[in-house]
Structure formats: C-alpha cells, structure tokens
Amino acid sequence: MRCPGLSLIEAASRLVPSRRRAQWRREWEAETTYAWRRMERSGSASAIGAFRLRVRVLSCWIDALFELKEDWRMAGLMNDLRYAIRGLLRYPAFTAVAVLTLALGIGANTAVFTLVDGILIRPLPFPESEELVSIQHVGRGGQDQLPISEGLYLLYREQASSLDGIAMYAGFAMNLVSGEEPERVSVQGVTPSFFEVLGVSPVLGRAFLPEEELPGAEPVVILSHGLWERSFGEDPEVVGRVLDLNGVNRRVVGVMPRGFGYPSQDMQLWVPYEVDPARAPLAGFGAGGIARLAPGRNLDGVFAELQGLISRLGELHPDSGEPAFLAEVELRARVRPLKEVLVGDMSTTLWILLGTVGFVLLIACANVANLLLVRAETRQRELALRLAMGAGRREIVRFFMGESLLLALAGGGLGIALSSWALGISARFIPTDLPRMAEVGVDLRVLGSTALISVGCAVFFGFVPLLRYGATDLAGQLKDGGGRGASGGRDRHSLRNALVVVQVAMALMLLVG
C-alpha cells in the first residue's frame, strides 16, 4: 500500500517559496514515510491507521503557510512596500505631483461614475421595479406626444389582462393652511391604485380606498414624510386631522415613507384623482400613466393588447364621437420601461461624460508613467546593484509595482475626497429637474469601483518602466558604469516621447469632442 498523505504534502508545497520548496517537501515526505513504515512493522497499517496519518499530515499546511509568511516578511511584498514608502518620502515633490495628478483623474471618474450609477445603473427604488412601465400615446405618426385619458385608463384597467395594475397621476400646487400662515405646497392627484402599482405603502395610516376616486367621496389627503416632519413634528396622531387645502377640508389618512416620490421626490401631498366612469373622456389627455406588468408578460405583449383595445373603441363606445377622432389622429399606445422614461435623454449625455473623464484618467496615468520613467533613469545603478545581490525579475517587478500601488492608493483616497467635495459643490448648479439626483451619493459600489480604478492605474503606469528597464537591460549597468552612447540615449527617450504623443492625441480627441 502506498504511503498515505503524500498528495497532501505535494499540494501544500506549492505555498512554500521556490528556494525552500524542494528541501521542505523532502523533509515532510521522509518523516511521513518513516511513520508509515513503523506502522507497517507494528501491524497497525490499517485503514484507520492511514486515516490518522493523513490527519497528522494536515499540519504540513500550517507549516507551509508559516514558510510563506516568513518569505513575505524577509523579502516579500510587505518589505518592498516599506522600501517604496521610504523612497517616496525621500522625494516629496515627485510624490506630491504624482498623487495630485492621479487624484484629479480618479476623482473626476469617481464623481461622474457616482452620477451614472445613481441615475442610470441602479434600479428604481420600488419593489421589482423592472416590471414597472409607462403608459403613453402618440398620434399623427408620432408628432403628437399624448399621456393618458380617464376613459383609456378605465378601459385598460378593466380589460388589459397583460397589466397587473394601472394608475394615473397629475401634479399641481395648492394652498395649505395648517398654521398661522398659508403655505404653497406641491400636490399630486393619484388614483388609489398608484401606491399599489409602485409597491409602496404608508408608514402611518393607510393608502386611498378605491371608492375615494369617485365623485362625492370624502376629501382625504396623504402627507409626505418631509412635510410630516417639518410641519407636524412627526406627530403620530396626525392621522385623522383635517387640513385646509384650497378652502376644502381634507382628512389625513396616511404618511408616506421617507424619500418616496414619483416622478419627483418634491411632492408633499397626495389627493385622490377623481374619475367619473359615466363622464370619463377618451380624448382628454391630461395625466400620466404607470402600470405593472402581469407575471410572464413583456412590453411587446402589452403594446399589442392595448393597441387592440384602441382599435375597438368604436365598438365599445358606439354613441361617442371620440373614437372616430382618435382613429383620425392615428392614436397608438406607447409602452416603455418606467426607468427609461424617468431618465429621459440624460442617458447618452452621462455615458459620453463618463467616456470623457476616462480619457482624462488615461492622460493622468500617462503623465505619472512618464514621471516614473524619469525616476527610474536616475535609479539604474541602484536597481543594477539589487540584481547583482541576487534579486530576480520577480523582485524587480515587485519593486516597481510597490511604488505604483502606493501612489495609486494615495491618489484614489484623495480622489474620493475630491469627488465628494465636487458633488457637493456641483449640486448647487445642477438643474433641479435632473432625474434621480436624490439617489446620487458615494456608497460601497462607488468605493469598489474607485478601488478597481486605482489598482488598474497602478498596473498601467507601474508596468511602463518595466518595458524600458528589464533585468537584462539593468545587468549591463554595473559593467559600463551607467553610461550610454548616443544610440542608447535615443532608445532611452523613445518610450517617453511615445507617451507624450499619446497624451497629446487623447487631449486633442477630448478638445474636438
């Protein structure tokens, strides 16, 4: 029977540094083989004995990790990082320029990515928001942009099986009298299904009841969380109070969660949108429409069903002249994802802006790579001495990458601070109608992207000096005393000149764009 545990030793040996690997493996294999032979001579080399020996051999993994730790401590990455820190502190001007250059590039990318993430990438702050759609209409071959009418809302609500719910909304302003002075507030009239379609319930009280959209129902109102805090001091007894809105007494029935609002979080009050089924006009387009897809349905299916209902308007309303008018204007349904409608044409602008600051970051990386090339030229003999003392190509790579990583991390940290400051300042100048601005902010997603950008920058400009100063190139430095002929000088500057050309080319692309 083959000695058990040798495969575990072989696997663990891959953690051991290469200079100690062969000897370490021989020692462990010799000890394990000796223990197995003793068990064979004593007659205890059974399946249980083999299992006990394998368990004992598992300790080789701890020993391998210890060897790895010792290698890192003596000549590994941590030692190179400490050396890199001392080297960077020795040249504060170089370090400050490199870190500031990276901070500007990384900060610009972080700020713009924060906008892109908050506005375009994140889902809407509603449950299963991918199922929410906007219901609109177009006429005259797309020339007329029409929202939804009360008659079409009732038709879709009752007969569109591809929708799991549909709602109407319309915004306006009203005068609220709750204290000594009247206050002008933003109000949204919504059908009772509005909150159900969005999947949001009040944190206090209840939503509107279906009968509260009918004419003659009791006037009621729902407060936003911000208005509840500001005007009512978060009083839990606010439900049931009566407020004067435009001279009409309305009873408070609920308070919505903090930050809720569609299409804007500026809404302060919600009142029922009154719909009279007996008089609901088909062609009175004056409200927005939102809906939730039924399970298993898609946009094409919804469009086909709504268009089929529109084509039957004459049959469904034979006594009305509105179906003929809608047929004349070639009314067509328009169903789009709610997020797409909310973001609007900002999508293209933000993606272009993100690409622009990406070029800025590449220019910054090329600048830092040029600085590192100049710094490497002044340290050729130092690197050659490291080679002469036994350092290999891996150590030289770690040497360059250690400084690059430190510069990138420092630039990334300062870039995050700059981006947060820039977002705070720019919030005063960004148009107030920019969608989803309340959801924009630096969070773990943004920090993760900044960390990836920083590491990518470190690899980019840290690898450039390796292209010019490899171990083979440095080995001749001690022989010729660091001198170079004319051709060597041209070779030395060729990569730096190429980086300058790349920077000018990218800057010209940005200027033209």
Side-chain angles (χ1 to χ4, degrees), residues 352-368:
I352 291 176
L353 184 59
L354 185 61
T356 300
V357 295
F359 273 103
V360 173
L361 180 60
L362 289 176
I363 294 174
C365 288
N367 269 310
V368 176

Side-chain angles (χ1 to χ4, degrees), residues 71 88 94 129 190 197-198 200 241 244 252 277 351 377 398:
D71 183 69
L88 292 175
F94 161 81
S129 61
V190 299
V197 167
L198 291 177
V200 180
R241 288 182 58 176
D244 183 343
V252 177
W351 285 121
E377 288 178 3
R398 286 204 313 234

Side-chain angles (χ1 to χ4, degrees), residues 2-211:
R2 184 175 181 269
C3 177
L6 297 182
S7 59
L8 294 174
I9 296 173
E10 180 183 358
S13 67
R14 296 171 185 171
L15 297 175
V16 180
S18 56
R19 58 187 177 82
R20 277 268 302 149
R21 185 175 301 157
Q23 180 182 354
W24 181 90
R25 183 174 174 180
R26 283 197 299 270
E27 291 175 355
W28 271 94
E29 287 180 346
E31 180 181 344
T32 305
T33 303
Y34 174 74
W36 179 247
R37 288 176 179 172
R38 282 188 60 187
M39 294 174 70
E40 286 182 326
R41 287 196 297 269
S42 64
S44 58
S46 61
I48 296 178
F51 174 76
R52 293 174 58 187
L53 183 60
R54 286 192 180 93
V55 171
R56 221 168 79 189
V57 169
L58 286 175
S59 61
C60 73
W61 286 86
I62 300 176
D63 189 41
L65 290 172
F66 179 79
E67 292 283 345
L68 182 63
K69 175 186 173 184
E70 286 296 304
D71 183 69
W72 284 354
R73 187 177 67 84
M74 297 301 297
L77 180 61
M78 297 306 298
N79 191 51
D80 287 335
L81 288 177
R82 286 194 294 268
Y83 184 82
I85 292 174
R86 290 197 298 269
L88 292 175
L89 292 178
R90 215 164 33 236
Y91 299 94
F94 161 81
T95 304
V97 171
V99 169
L100 184 59
T101 301
L102 286 173
L104 292 175
I106 294 176
N109 273 267
T110 302
V112 175
F113 178 78
T114 303
L115 289 174
V116 171
D117 180 61
I119 296 175
L120 302 181
I121 299 178
R122 289 184 190 173
L124 295 177
F126 306 116
E128 300 175 340
S129 61
E130 68 281 356
E131 297 178 359
L132 294 173
V133 295
S134 168
I135 305 296
Q136 298 174 322
H137 301 84
V138 294
R140 305 183 194 278
Q143 297 180 31
D144 296 336
Q145 304 293 321
L146 306 170
I148 193 172
S149 66
E150 296 176 15
L152 291 175
Y153 158 73
L154 293 173
L155 175 65
Y156 298 158
R157 186 182 70 179
E158 295 167 3
Q159 300 199 32
S161 60
S162 59
L163 298 178
D164 199 22
I166 183 171
M168 285 197 308
Y169 62 90
F172 42 88
M174 299 180 77
N175 293 320
L176 168 65
V177 180
S178 60
E180 297 180 358
E181 295 291 334
E183 179 184 1
R184 196 71 171 168
V185 293
S186 300
V187 182
Q188 196 171 41
V190 299
T191 56
S193 55
F194 180 80
F195 304 108
E196 182 181 354
V197 167
L198 291 177
V200 180
S201 300
V203 294
L204 199 64
R206 61 168 176 85
F208 296 139
L209 302 176
E211 59 268 20

Side-chain angles (χ1 to χ4, degrees), residues 233-253:
E234 298 185 73
D235 181 10
E237 302 298 325
V238 71
V239 175
R241 288 182 58 176
V242 176
L243 304 183
D244 183 343
L245 278 174
N246 277 13
V248 177
N249 291 328
R250 291 182 176 269
R251 183 169 59 89
V252 177
V253 296

Side-chain angles (χ1 to χ4, degrees), residues 140 146 282-283 285 320-331:
R140 305 183 194 278
L146 306 170
L282 291 171
F285 298 96
S320 173
E322 291 180 301
F325 169 74
L326 296 179
E328 182 180 346
V329 300
E330 300 175 351
L331 184 73

